[in-house]
Amino acid sequence: MKLGYTIVYVPDVPASLDFFTRAFGMQRRFLHESGTYGELETGQTTLAFAAHALGGLNFPGGHVEAHSSAKPLGFEIALVTEDVEQAHRNALSAGAAEMAAPTAKPWGQVVSYLRCPDGCVVELCTPMNA
């Protein structure tokens, strides 16, 4: 088994795709004509966004909408980059909210945390040295 894709449920799929394009330089792979599902080019694993309305169909008991939650949800998307500081600045300029500024960790990585306009938490980090 392998991880195929991650889907984040958001209020506005095209807006999330646009934000990730502007903030992190990712390219749109696909947007369904309904505007309720879209994907980004991210490498081997697909990062996708789906409308909360689709979440309602998939989860009849409801789900937490990250954008309206006062606290961030207990998961993150980690994006690996050689220049966390610059990527962090780009994301802030594109509309992300800073949760933690770039910090050198004891294990050697530089890491920062942002909250996207759709409520998604993104960790920016340098590659792990093996």
Side-chain angles (χ1 to χ4, degrees), residues 3-8 17 26-27 29-30 37-49 77:
L3 178 62
Y5 49 91
T6 297
I7 300 174
V8 180
L17 292 172
M26 296 178 171
Q27 297 303 309
R29 177 189 297 170
F30 172 77
Y37 179 83
E39 298 176 351
L40 294 168
E41 292 288 346
T42 61
Q44 291 183 346
T45 303
T46 299
L47 177 57
F49 298 92
I77 296 170

Side-chain angles (χ1 to χ4, degrees), residues 19-67:
F19 171 77
F20 271 74
T21 297
R22 289 181 296 107
F24 307 115
M26 296 178 171
Q27 297 303 309
R28 180 188 303 183
R29 177 189 297 170
F30 172 77
L31 175 61
H32 187 269
E33 62 188 34
S34 67
T36 61
Y37 179 83
E39 298 176 351
L40 294 168
E41 292 288 346
T42 61
Q44 291 183 346
T45 303
T46 299
L47 177 57
F49 298 92
H52 286 300
L54 289 180
L57 295 174
N58 294 333
F59 317 119
H63 65 281
V64 175
E65 296 184 1
H67 73 284

